[in-house]
Amino acid sequence: MSTPNTAPAAPGPLLRMRDIHKEFPGVRALDGVSLSVGHGTVHALMGENGAGKSTLMKVLSGVHPAGSYTGEVLVDGEPVRFADVTESERAGIAIIHQELALVPQLSVSENVLLGHEVSRFGVIDWGATHARARELLLRVGLDENPATPVSALSIGAQQMVEIAKALAKRVRLLILDEPTSALNEAESERLLGLLLELRAQGVACILISHKIGEVMSVSDEVTILRDGRTIETLAVERDARGVPSVDEDRIIRGMVGRDLDQRHPERTGRIGPELFEVRDWTVDHPTRAGRRVADGVGLTLRAGEIVGMAGLMGAGRTEFAMSLFGRSYGRYVRGGLYRDGRALPVGSVADAIASGVAYVPEDRKSLGLVLDDDIRSNTTLAGLRRVSTRGVIDPGLETVEARRMSEHMRVRSHGTSQTVRTLSGGNQQKVVLGKWMFTRPELLILDEPTRGIDVGAKYEIYLIVRRLAAEGACVLLISSELPELLGMCDRIYAMCEGRITGQVSGEEADQETLMKLMTRTGDQP
């Protein structure tokens, strides 16, 4: 790989942030935070949702301009005051947000070199542009045709395009916010390997992630934030076997301010009789003729039971869940949902809700919330009849009900009039859960409910799910995290290529058994 075009490393750290304070109306987001990052190091920034990590990075990258905060930022020992993102990029600082900033309709080349196109006499030289883009793509280990539209790439490949785009700006400090949250295991390993390669080339990285194992595998130092304050910075050393000197429990204790003796709450309710059954559920891909995404799926759920669904990426779990929820995905072929042996109408989302079915989607921001609306509107959106009189919403009743549900879900906010976009990821997820619990569901389908959420918020979500099951509801929990399924579920189904390949009780399940089922094709047992 080519060596990055960077200035020689100056003595001392590349970055210092000293005593950073940042306030929003009624909230102190950063309260004297300090951070130091060395040249050519991977520095992890960890903390619960709302701890101040993203706010601190927005200060550093110029999203929050100089003058909107107090404190000092130094690059190579020199004070800097960025007025916007462009100025921070000129200093060699680039940030890759969790929501990728690519233009799907443009080619890989156009995205990588957007604003830095190679031109001659004011006209873009497409040959040179594609050649430069290919050089950058190879540097991040991505063998793609530069003319390929970004929309045709996987999420993992798009992440690599984002990093190539940053390298085009001669980045010296790369900030990655939850870069592996939407990646499968192979893509995550590839990205983490790239961070180590960039470190070897002298590029420093700040890694924001809730995946403690990933952080420990690549980081040289870890800074922990809690409630807008710097708690501590830990140096990560490794023995001859590569085992880090800092363990997960140490990180968690710093993040939440206490030990989490149990990652998953104990069961408090009892499992009742069989309540719901899915029979021969079969769905085709919405646009690809002949491609079956759910093939004869059958499963049962008992009252008060948490049933897990395991599968590798592409197994068809989300497609099945969305299609079951009012046929909101794919082309329905056959099959039915039954309650106490009686077929339920689920031909539309309205039918599904009326039948007592609720679905918390994997992508809470695009499919679960109206981000620019407040907590009140989002909470009551799926159950407007409960806050309406003669078809007209009663604002007072809506506020009361939204406040009650918000308190029940322990949403941390300034009140139900707060815009959902301004909440942390964990609190946004609680609003989504509250929206569907407001409909009083008997069957709640949860699709990756803790993705991108820290360990403290995860535990609170788990408590909510346990409480719902204890009240007699059925829960279908879809998760890519096998420890989550093993810790939460009474039974677990495995899916591969759109088919159920087996089930195992919670007591008998282990990761090896589930992995065998998740990679086994063939008929249902």
Short mmCIF file of all heavy atoms in Angstrom, two decimals, residues 49 53-54 58 95-102 155 158-159 162 175-183 208-211 362-365 424-426 428 450-453:
data_model
loop_
_atom_site.label_atom_id
_atom_site.label_comp_id
_atom_site.label_asym_id
_atom_site.label_seq_id
_atom_site.Cartn_x
_atom_site.Cartn_y
_atom_site.Cartn_z
N ASN A 49 -25.04 5.93 25.62
CA ASN A 49 -25.72 6.90 24.77
C ASN A 49 -26.02 8.15 25.58
O ASN A 49 -26.53 8.06 26.70
CB ASN A 49 -27.02 6.32 24.22
CG ASN A 49 -26.77 5.24 23.19
OD1 ASN A 49 -26.89 4.06 23.48
ND2 ASN A 49 -26.39 5.63 21.99
N LYS A 53 -20.15 11.66 23.53
CA LYS A 53 -19.13 11.26 22.55
C LYS A 53 -19.32 11.98 21.21
O LYS A 53 -18.37 12.58 20.69
CB LYS A 53 -19.19 9.74 22.33
CG LYS A 53 -19.12 8.91 23.59
CD LYS A 53 -19.13 7.42 23.29
CE LYS A 53 -20.41 6.96 22.60
NZ LYS A 53 -21.61 7.14 23.44
N SER A 54 -20.53 11.89 20.66
CA SER A 54 -20.77 12.51 19.35
C SER A 54 -20.66 14.02 19.42
O SER A 54 -20.14 14.66 18.49
CB SER A 54 -22.16 12.10 18.84
OG SER A 54 -22.21 10.72 18.59
N LYS A 58 -18.22 16.38 17.20
CA LYS A 58 -18.75 17.48 16.39
C LYS A 58 -18.02 18.78 16.71
O LYS A 58 -17.85 19.63 15.83
CB LYS A 58 -20.25 17.62 16.63
CG LYS A 58 -21.07 16.50 15.98
CD LYS A 58 -22.55 16.64 16.27
CE LYS A 58 -23.34 15.51 15.61
NZ LYS A 58 -24.79 15.60 15.92
N ILE A 95 -14.42 12.99 9.58
CA ILE A 95 -15.34 12.20 10.39
C ILE A 95 -16.27 11.40 9.48
O ILE A 95 -16.77 11.91 8.48
CB ILE A 95 -16.14 13.10 11.36
CG1 ILE A 95 -17.05 12.25 12.26
CG2 ILE A 95 -16.94 14.15 10.61
CD1 ILE A 95 -17.67 13.06 13.41
N ILE A 96 -16.45 10.14 9.83
CA ILE A 96 -17.39 9.27 9.13
C ILE A 96 -18.51 8.95 10.10
O ILE A 96 -18.31 8.26 11.10
CB ILE A 96 -16.70 7.98 8.64
CG1 ILE A 96 -15.60 8.33 7.63
CG2 ILE A 96 -17.73 7.03 8.02
CD1 ILE A 96 -14.81 7.15 7.16
N HIS A 97 -19.69 9.48 9.81
CA HIS A 97 -20.82 9.33 10.70
C HIS A 97 -21.45 7.95 10.55
O HIS A 97 -21.23 7.24 9.56
CB HIS A 97 -21.87 10.41 10.43
CG HIS A 97 -21.38 11.81 10.67
ND1 HIS A 97 -21.30 12.36 11.93
CD2 HIS A 97 -20.92 12.75 9.80
CE1 HIS A 97 -20.82 13.59 11.84
NE2 HIS A 97 -20.58 13.86 10.57
N GLN A 98 -22.27 7.58 11.52
CA GLN A 98 -22.96 6.30 11.48
C GLN A 98 -23.87 6.23 10.25
O GLN A 98 -23.98 5.19 9.61
CB GLN A 98 -23.77 6.10 12.76
CG GLN A 98 -24.35 4.71 12.92
CD GLN A 98 -24.97 4.52 14.29
OE1 GLN A 98 -24.95 5.41 15.14
NE2 GLN A 98 -25.54 3.36 14.53
N GLU A 99 -24.53 7.34 9.92
CA GLU A 99 -25.32 7.41 8.69
C GLU A 99 -24.39 7.92 7.59
O GLU A 99 -23.95 9.06 7.62
CB GLU A 99 -26.51 8.37 8.84
CG GLU A 99 -27.59 7.86 9.78
CD GLU A 99 -27.26 8.09 11.24
OE1 GLU A 99 -26.46 9.00 11.52
OE2 GLU A 99 -27.76 7.35 12.09
N LEU A 100 -24.07 7.07 6.64
CA LEU A 100 -23.07 7.38 5.63
C LEU A 100 -23.50 8.57 4.78
O LEU A 100 -24.66 8.71 4.42
CB LEU A 100 -22.84 6.16 4.74
CG LEU A 100 -22.37 4.90 5.47
CD1 LEU A 100 -22.14 3.78 4.48
CD2 LEU A 100 -21.11 5.16 6.27
N ALA A 101 -22.51 9.41 4.45
CA ALA A 101 -22.77 10.64 3.68
C ALA A 101 -22.38 10.44 2.22
O ALA A 101 -21.60 11.21 1.66
CB ALA A 101 -22.01 11.81 4.30
N LEU A 102 -22.92 9.41 1.61
CA LEU A 102 -22.66 9.13 0.20
C LEU A 102 -23.88 9.48 -0.63
O LEU A 102 -25.00 9.52 -0.13
CB LEU A 102 -22.31 7.66 0.00
CG LEU A 102 -21.05 7.16 0.73
CD1 LEU A 102 -20.92 5.65 0.58
CD2 LEU A 102 -19.80 7.85 0.20
N ILE A 155 -23.37 -2.52 2.36
CA ILE A 155 -23.09 -1.51 3.38
C ILE A 155 -21.62 -1.53 3.76
O ILE A 155 -20.98 -0.48 3.95
CB ILE A 155 -23.97 -1.73 4.62
CG1 ILE A 155 -25.44 -1.51 4.28
CG2 ILE A 155 -23.57 -0.77 5.74
CD1 ILE A 155 -25.78 -0.11 3.83
N GLN A 158 -19.68 0.22 1.16
CA GLN A 158 -19.91 1.66 1.25
C GLN A 158 -19.09 2.29 2.37
O GLN A 158 -18.60 3.42 2.23
CB GLN A 158 -21.40 1.93 1.45
CG GLN A 158 -22.26 1.62 0.23
CD GLN A 158 -23.72 1.97 0.44
OE1 GLN A 158 -24.06 2.85 1.21
NE2 GLN A 158 -24.61 1.25 -0.24
N GLN A 159 -18.91 1.56 3.48
CA GLN A 159 -18.05 2.06 4.55
C GLN A 159 -16.63 2.28 4.03
O GLN A 159 -15.98 3.28 4.35
CB GLN A 159 -18.02 1.07 5.72
CG GLN A 159 -19.24 1.09 6.61
CD GLN A 159 -19.15 2.17 7.67
OE1 GLN A 159 -18.35 3.09 7.57
NE2 GLN A 159 -20.00 2.08 8.68
N GLU A 162 -16.40 5.38 2.01
CA GLU A 162 -16.33 6.56 2.89
C GLU A 162 -14.90 6.79 3.38
O GLU A 162 -14.42 7.93 3.42
CB GLU A 162 -17.25 6.37 4.09
CG GLU A 162 -18.70 6.76 3.85
CD GLU A 162 -18.93 8.26 4.02
OE1 GLU A 162 -17.99 9.06 3.82
OE2 GLU A 162 -20.07 8.63 4.33
N ILE A 175 -12.06 9.95 12.23
CA ILE A 175 -13.04 9.69 13.29
C ILE A 175 -14.12 8.78 12.72
O ILE A 175 -14.72 9.09 11.70
CB ILE A 175 -13.67 11.01 13.79
CG1 ILE A 175 -12.59 12.00 14.23
CG2 ILE A 175 -14.65 10.74 14.92
CD1 ILE A 175 -13.10 13.43 14.36
N LEU A 176 -14.36 7.67 13.38
CA LEU A 176 -15.38 6.72 12.92
C LEU A 176 -16.41 6.52 14.03
O LEU A 176 -16.07 6.10 15.13
CB LEU A 176 -14.75 5.37 12.56
CG LEU A 176 -13.71 5.42 11.43
CD1 LEU A 176 -12.31 5.28 12.03
CD2 LEU A 176 -13.95 4.32 10.41
N ASP A 177 -17.67 6.84 13.72
CA ASP A 177 -18.76 6.77 14.69
C ASP A 177 -19.58 5.51 14.43
O ASP A 177 -20.30 5.42 13.44
CB ASP A 177 -19.65 8.02 14.58
CG ASP A 177 -20.66 8.13 15.71
OD1 ASP A 177 -20.75 7.20 16.54
OD2 ASP A 177 -21.36 9.15 15.78
N GLU A 178 -19.44 4.51 15.31
CA GLU A 178 -20.15 3.23 15.18
C GLU A 178 -20.00 2.65 13.78
O GLU A 178 -20.98 2.35 13.10
CB GLU A 178 -21.64 3.40 15.52
CG GLU A 178 -21.91 3.81 16.95
CD GLU A 178 -21.65 2.69 17.95
OE1 GLU A 178 -21.43 1.54 17.53
OE2 GLU A 178 -21.65 2.98 19.15
N PRO A 179 -18.75 2.44 13.32
CA PRO A 179 -18.57 2.03 11.91
C PRO A 179 -19.04 0.62 11.59
O PRO A 179 -19.28 0.30 10.43
CB PRO A 179 -17.06 2.16 11.71
CG PRO A 179 -16.48 1.93 13.08
CD PRO A 179 -17.47 2.57 14.02
N THR A 180 -19.15 -0.25 12.60
CA THR A 180 -19.52 -1.65 12.32
C THR A 180 -20.94 -1.99 12.73
O THR A 180 -21.33 -3.15 12.70
CB THR A 180 -18.56 -2.61 13.05
OG1 THR A 180 -18.72 -2.47 14.47
CG2 THR A 180 -17.11 -2.34 12.68
N SER A 181 -21.74 -0.97 13.07
CA SER A 181 -23.08 -1.25 13.60
C SER A 181 -23.98 -1.97 12.60
O SER A 181 -24.87 -2.73 12.97
CB SER A 181 -23.76 0.04 14.07
OG SER A 181 -23.93 0.94 12.99
N ALA A 182 -23.77 -1.71 11.29
CA ALA A 182 -24.62 -2.33 10.27
C ALA A 182 -23.87 -3.37 9.45
O ALA A 182 -24.35 -3.80 8.41
CB ALA A 182 -25.18 -1.26 9.34
N LEU A 183 -22.68 -3.81 9.92
CA LEU A 183 -21.86 -4.75 9.16
C LEU A 183 -21.98 -6.16 9.72
O LEU A 183 -22.23 -6.35 10.92
CB LEU A 183 -20.39 -4.32 9.19
CG LEU A 183 -20.06 -2.89 8.73
CD1 LEU A 183 -18.55 -2.70 8.68
CD2 LEU A 183 -20.69 -2.58 7.38
N ILE A 208 -15.45 5.35 17.83
CA ILE A 208 -16.59 5.35 18.74
C ILE A 208 -17.37 4.07 18.49
O ILE A 208 -17.81 3.81 17.36
CB ILE A 208 -17.51 6.57 18.50
CG1 ILE A 208 -16.73 7.87 18.72
CG2 ILE A 208 -18.72 6.52 19.41
CD1 ILE A 208 -17.54 9.11 18.37
N SER A 209 -17.52 3.24 19.51
CA SER A 209 -18.20 1.97 19.33
C SER A 209 -18.73 1.48 20.67
O SER A 209 -18.17 1.76 21.72
CB SER A 209 -17.25 0.93 18.74
OG SER A 209 -17.89 -0.33 18.63
N HIS A 210 -19.86 0.73 20.59
CA HIS A 210 -20.38 0.07 21.78
C HIS A 210 -19.94 -1.38 21.85
O HIS A 210 -20.25 -2.06 22.83
CB HIS A 210 -21.92 0.13 21.77
CG HIS A 210 -22.46 1.50 21.95
ND1 HIS A 210 -23.32 2.09 21.06
CD2 HIS A 210 -22.24 2.43 22.91
CE1 HIS A 210 -23.62 3.32 21.47
NE2 HIS A 210 -22.98 3.53 22.58
N LYS A 211 -19.25 -1.85 20.81
CA LYS A 211 -18.81 -3.24 20.78
C LYS A 211 -17.44 -3.35 21.45
O LYS A 211 -16.40 -3.11 20.84
CB LYS A 211 -18.76 -3.74 19.34
CG LYS A 211 -20.14 -3.71 18.66
CD LYS A 211 -20.08 -4.24 17.25
CE LYS A 211 -21.46 -4.22 16.59
NZ LYS A 211 -21.43 -4.74 15.21
N GLU A 362 -35.66 -2.85 12.49
CA GLU A 362 -34.21 -2.81 12.67
C GLU A 362 -33.68 -1.39 12.53
O GLU A 362 -32.81 -0.96 13.28
CB GLU A 362 -33.56 -3.73 11.63
CG GLU A 362 -32.05 -3.76 11.63
CD GLU A 362 -31.50 -4.67 10.56
OE1 GLU A 362 -32.27 -5.06 9.65
OE2 GLU A 362 -30.30 -4.98 10.61
N ASP A 363 -34.20 -0.65 11.56
CA ASP A 363 -33.76 0.72 11.30
C ASP A 363 -34.73 1.68 11.97
O ASP A 363 -35.74 2.08 11.39
CB ASP A 363 -33.70 0.97 9.79
CG ASP A 363 -33.09 2.33 9.43
OD1 ASP A 363 -32.96 3.17 10.35
OD2 ASP A 363 -32.78 2.54 8.26
N ARG A 364 -34.45 2.05 13.20
CA ARG A 364 -35.40 2.87 13.96
C ARG A 364 -35.53 4.27 13.38
O ARG A 364 -36.59 4.89 13.46
CB ARG A 364 -34.99 2.95 15.43
CG ARG A 364 -33.63 3.58 15.69
CD ARG A 364 -33.31 3.68 17.17
NE ARG A 364 -31.96 4.15 17.43
CZ ARG A 364 -30.93 3.34 17.63
NH1 ARG A 364 -31.10 2.05 17.63
NH2 ARG A 364 -29.72 3.83 17.85
N LYS A 365 -34.46 4.79 12.78
CA LYS A 365 -34.50 6.18 12.30
C LYS A 365 -35.31 6.32 11.01
O LYS A 365 -36.04 7.29 10.84
CB LYS A 365 -33.08 6.71 12.11
CG LYS A 365 -32.33 6.90 13.44
CD LYS A 365 -31.00 7.59 13.25
CE LYS A 365 -30.34 7.85 14.59
NZ LYS A 365 -29.03 8.54 14.45
N SER A 424 -30.61 10.58 22.37
CA SER A 424 -29.58 9.58 22.14
C SER A 424 -30.21 8.35 21.50
O SER A 424 -31.44 8.17 21.52
CB SER A 424 -28.90 9.20 23.45
OG SER A 424 -29.82 8.51 24.30
N GLY A 425 -29.37 7.47 20.94
CA GLY A 425 -29.88 6.28 20.28
C GLY A 425 -30.70 5.39 21.20
O GLY A 425 -31.74 4.86 20.81
N GLY A 426 -30.22 5.23 22.44
CA GLY A 426 -30.95 4.40 23.38
C GLY A 426 -32.32 4.95 23.71
O GLY A 426 -33.31 4.21 23.82
N GLN A 428 -34.06 7.02 21.76
CA GLN A 428 -34.88 6.88 20.56
C GLN A 428 -35.50 5.50 20.49
O GLN A 428 -36.69 5.35 20.16
CB GLN A 428 -34.03 7.13 19.30
CG GLN A 428 -33.65 8.57 19.09
CD GLN A 428 -32.81 8.77 17.85
OE1 GLN A 428 -32.34 7.80 17.23
NE2 GLN A 428 -32.59 10.01 17.45
N THR A 450 -31.39 -3.80 20.08
CA THR A 450 -30.31 -3.12 20.82
C THR A 450 -29.13 -2.76 19.94
O THR A 450 -28.06 -2.45 20.44
CB THR A 450 -29.82 -4.00 21.99
OG1 THR A 450 -29.24 -5.21 21.46
CG2 THR A 450 -30.95 -4.35 22.93
N ARG A 451 -29.33 -2.76 18.62
CA ARG A 451 -28.23 -2.41 17.71
C ARG A 451 -27.83 -0.95 17.93
O ARG A 451 -28.65 -0.05 17.96
CB ARG A 451 -28.64 -2.62 16.26
CG ARG A 451 -27.62 -2.10 15.25
CD ARG A 451 -27.88 -2.63 13.87
NE ARG A 451 -27.51 -4.04 13.77
CZ ARG A 451 -27.74 -4.80 12.70
NH1 ARG A 451 -28.36 -4.29 11.65
NH2 ARG A 451 -27.37 -6.07 12.69
N GLY A 452 -26.53 -0.72 18.10
CA GLY A 452 -26.02 0.64 18.27
C GLY A 452 -26.33 1.25 19.62
O GLY A 452 -26.29 2.47 19.77
N ILE A 453 -26.61 0.43 20.62
CA ILE A 453 -26.98 0.92 21.95
C ILE A 453 -25.96 0.42 22.96
O ILE A 453 -25.51 -0.73 22.89
CB ILE A 453 -28.41 0.45 22.33
CG1 ILE A 453 -29.43 1.09 21.39
CG2 ILE A 453 -28.74 0.79 23.76
CD1 ILE A 453 -30.84 0.62 21.62
#
